Amino acid sequence: MDPDPFLRNSFWTTSIGSLINSIAYLGLNPSTVQRFVALPTYKLARNALMYLMLGVSTITSMTVLIGMLIYAKYKNCDPSTANYIEDNKSLLPYYVMDIAASYPGITGIFVAGLVSAALSTMSAHLNNVSGTIYEDLIVKMMGKRYSELTASIIMKFTVIVMGVMCGILVLMVEQLKGILQMAVSLNSVTLGAFLSVFTLGIGFPFVNTRGAIYAIIASLGVSIWITFGTQIAIMNDELKFSEKNISITGCPIDLQFKDKIDYSGLYRMNED
């Protein structure tokens, strides 16, 4: 409950940040709005939103519980420090393999579910991007309209191009630290700016177009400066965040550690 806004994770930063991010995502994200608009009535759209909130809350709660279980199991034998895994990004797959390896098929179901969820999300976003580019850029800005067949070909070609770009970017992203944090930060850069403009229009309808454009440019500039500065500092190990207390006192004695330091004394102390 510490009100310090500079803390990485606290009740206030998490709750307020998640609330603003959820409002922006559900109210402004094209992939979400398109699904609501596709429903025939307002009542169905409202019900869909309620079901979505229930599903997201369930998944978030399960994610938190999984994190607590992983920490409870590996508190005294951190797999990353103990050289079982290369970094913490492999912690969840390692946990599944460690727990469910003796149950045939469970690890396969986990991998299949993980890949299916990733591909489903990626395909939905690629379709959304292709539709947005065609409608907003080609039709509205360029003033060109094509037949349904030609439009379908253009959007499919756009999906292919964007998919190739995403595949290339994977090679860059895997070298970064904190992929989830970077993804959330970059997403918040645009969502925050757009939410501010929509809020400006709702609360202050007398603001003209030029003022709104200047406001969104300023918001994007400040957000990009903060976000990329943070990522560069993290990559250069200039910015580090506090972590939970972990140790390797519960690991097997014959373990080979990354830093090649002799920890046998710790085990003897632990045994005593």
Side-chain angles (χ1 to χ4, degrees):
M1 300 297 288
D2 192 339
D4 186 2
F6 296 100
L7 291 177
R8 176 175 173 81
N9 290 316
S10 68
F11 173 80
W12 300 109
T13 56
T14 303
S15 58
I16 296 176
S18 299
L19 176 62
I20 296 176
N21 186 73
S22 299
I23 293 174
Y25 183 81
L26 296 177
L28 303 178
N29 191 290
S31 62
T32 306
V33 175
Q34 287 176 5
R35 287 166 171 77
F36 292 148
V37 174
L39 296 174
T41 63
Y42 173 78
K43 182 179 180 180
L44 290 177
R46 184 178 59 185
N47 292 338
L49 178 60
M50 297 299 295
Y51 294 143
L52 174 63
M53 293 174 60
L54 178 61
V56 171
S57 300
T58 302
I59 294 175
T60 303
S61 300
M62 293 177 63
T63 303
V64 173
L65 291 175
I66 291 174
M68 295 173 64
L69 289 173
I70 292 176
Y71 176 72
K73 180 172 179 59
Y74 299 122
K75 178 181 179 181
N76 296 321
C77 184
D78 178 41
S80 180
T81 305
N83 204 24
Y84 283 158
I85 57 178
E86 293 184 359
D87 50 49
N88 291 330
K89 291 182 290 186
S90 305
L91 192 56
L92 178 58
Y94 175 80
Y95 175 75
V96 174
M97 293 294 296
D98 188 19
I99 296 297
S102 59
Y103 300 94
I106 298 298
T107 55
I109 293 175
F110 169 77
V111 174
L114 194 65
V115 174
S116 299
L119 292 177
S120 174
T121 303
M122 179 62 68
S123 64
H125 283 288
L126 288 176
N127 289 331
N128 167 61
V129 170
S130 65
T132 302
I133 290 176
Y134 178 77
E135 288 292 335
D136 294 344
L137 181 61
I138 298 178
V139 175
K140 294 183 179 179
M141 294 186 63
M142 300 177 62
K144 296 182 179 181
R145 291 187 176 274
Y146 300 95
S147 63
E148 292 187 3
L149 178 60
T150 304
S152 176
I153 295 175
I154 293 174
M155 287 188 287
K156 290 178 180 178
F157 178 76
T158 305
V159 169
I160 294 175
V161 173
M162 298 300 297
V164 172
M165 292 177 60
C166 291
I168 295 174
L169 289 175
V170 168
L171 302 176
M172 300 173 56
V173 172
E174 67 178 359
Q175 304 299 327
L176 302 177
K177 297 181 180 180
I179 296 177
L180 178 60
Q181 174 184 317
M182 184 188 66
V184 173
S185 299
L186 293 178
N187 191 48
S188 300
V189 168
T190 54
L191 286 180
F194 291 149
L195 179 62
S196 64
V197 171
F198 274 81
T199 305
L200 180 67
I202 295 173
F204 305 93
F206 54 84
V207 176
N208 57 23
T209 303
R210 180 177 298 180
I213 293 176
Y214 289 159
I216 195 171
I217 291 176
S219 177
L220 286 173
V222 174
S223 299
I224 291 173
W225 172 55
I226 295 175
T227 300
F228 280 90
T230 302
Q231 294 301 321
I232 293 174
I234 293 175
M235 292 174 59
N236 296 330
D237 292 329
E238 298 174 357
L239 178 62
K240 296 183 179 180
F241 302 105
S242 59
E243 299 179 350
K244 292 288 186 180
N245 294 326
I246 55 176
S247 67
I248 42 89
T249 56
C251 297
I253 298 178
D254 59 347
L255 196 62
Q256 297 294 325
F257 295 95
K258 286 182 177 180
D259 47 14
K260 308 302 181 183
I261 298 177
D262 183 11
Y263 289 93
S264 58
L266 294 176
Y267 296 117
R268 287 194 294 270
M269 293 173 60
N270 189 41
E271 292 175 353
D272 294 337

